[in-house]
Amino acid sequence: MSAAPLICPSILASDFAALGAEVKAITEAGADFVHIDVMDGHFVPNITIGPDVVKALRPHTDLPFDCHLMISPVDAFLDAFRAAGADLISVHPEAGPHLHRTLKYIRQLGARAGVVLNPATSVDVLDYVMDDIDLVLVMSVNPGFGGQSFIDTQLRKIEVIRKKLDAAENPAILQVDGGVNAQNAGLCVSAGATALVAGTAVFKGGPSAYAANIKALKGL
Ligand code: DX5
Ligand code: ZN
């Protein structure tokens, strides 16, 4: 039996006109991290949240802020997100230019560092940064939008990364993001994931449903 996964609601699917209340509601409903999708309209075809919004949300919860940066080039914004209250900062290798330098810098800022792999990105990119990562995020949709369907091939990628992390005795969080729901959550965990990001599956039904939605994702 695998341990219950960490649940990281993506506030991209929340009510943007009530973000503070939404973050408080998922905190009370049993979320483990607050997943914040940052998009620049350049690396991905959508624009979302900047550091000022992250800063405004910080007083609304004690949960770790898990900032998924879909911006390129990313380095110029790391200080601002850390100062705004990001606890984990995850970056795409394609957002570059220098993944190793970026990961080192995130840790230097005192945050935990994550690498995000797009559906077509090979796991090989992890090989020479194994000692520099606290989290690996497997995208099970192409980044840019919530509400897309889970790409099944990524389950095999999760398995391969699980083996790599275990072989390296690396305790990094193995997170999955995109189209995760109560039906496929168990498959992700069996493949080796330890954290699940979910937007639609957490926020559907409004605040009174959040606790049950999170429980269902944990497989409880
Ligand atoms: C996509 C984002 C995801 C997404 C998840 O670029 O990284 O976090 O919002 O939303 P759902 O769970 O609705 O696929
Ligand atoms: Zn995300």
Side-chain angles (χ1 to χ4, degrees):
M1 254 299 269
S2 316
L6 300 169
I7 304 299
C8 319
S10 162
I11 59 169
L12 190 57
S14 72
D15 177 358
F16 270 25
L19 269 181
E22 291 280 60
V23 163
K24 195 159 179 276
I26 53 166
T27 303
E28 286 163 4
D32 296 290
F33 294 169
V34 179
H35 185 82
I36 303 175
D37 286 307
V38 177
M39 306 186 187
D40 67 353
H42 161 74
F43 183 65
V44 289
N46 196 4
I47 298 177
T48 56
I49 289 170
D52 287 345
V53 175
V54 176
K55 187 175 173 197
L57 289 174
R58 195 55 285 185
H60 292 265
T61 183
D62 290 330
L63 292 181
F65 276 179
D66 163 26
C67 288
H68 173 192
L69 303 187
M70 288 161 271
I71 55 182
S72 173
V74 68
D75 291 355
F77 296 94
L78 298 173
D79 289 85
F81 280 100
R82 177 62 180 150
D87 300 287
L88 298 101
I89 299 179
S90 299
V91 299
H92 288 250
E94 298 86 353
H98 306 135
L99 179 65
H100 179 268
R101 172 179 285 149
T102 302
L103 295 170
K104 288 272 185 205
Y105 191 65
I106 292 170
R107 280 187 166 175
Q108 207 176 307
L109 290 174
R112 285 188 272 171
V115 175
V116 192
L117 305 183
N118 278 338
T121 303
S122 168
V123 298
D124 297 349
V125 73
L126 300 172
D127 286 350
Y128 298 98
V129 293
M130 264 293 167
D131 294 338
D132 307 298
I133 52 177
D134 303 292
L135 179 147
V136 179
L137 170 51
V138 174
M139 290 304 298
S140 39
V141 299
N142 286 292
F145 302 96
Q148 303 182 79
S149 300
F150 188 89
I151 302 170
D152 290 320
T153 52
Q154 300 308 301
L155 287 169
R156 197 154 40 88
K157 188 189 279 179
I158 296 166
E159 286 172 6
V160 173
I161 297 170
R162 175 78 275 148
K163 287 201 184 97
K164 272 184 190 285
L165 291 172
D166 289 351
E169 295 183 15
N170 187 325
I173 294 166
L174 180 45
Q175 192 181 46
V176 191
D177 183 8
V180 174
N181 56 37
Q183 285 69 50
N184 57 33
L187 296 173
C188 295
V189 173
S190 302
T194 55
L196 306 175
V197 175
T200 311
V202 168
F203 287 96
K204 67 177 182 189
S208 63
Y210 297 165
N213 292 346
I214 288 172
K215 239 177 152 181
L217 286 164
K218 278 196 186 267
L220 300 173

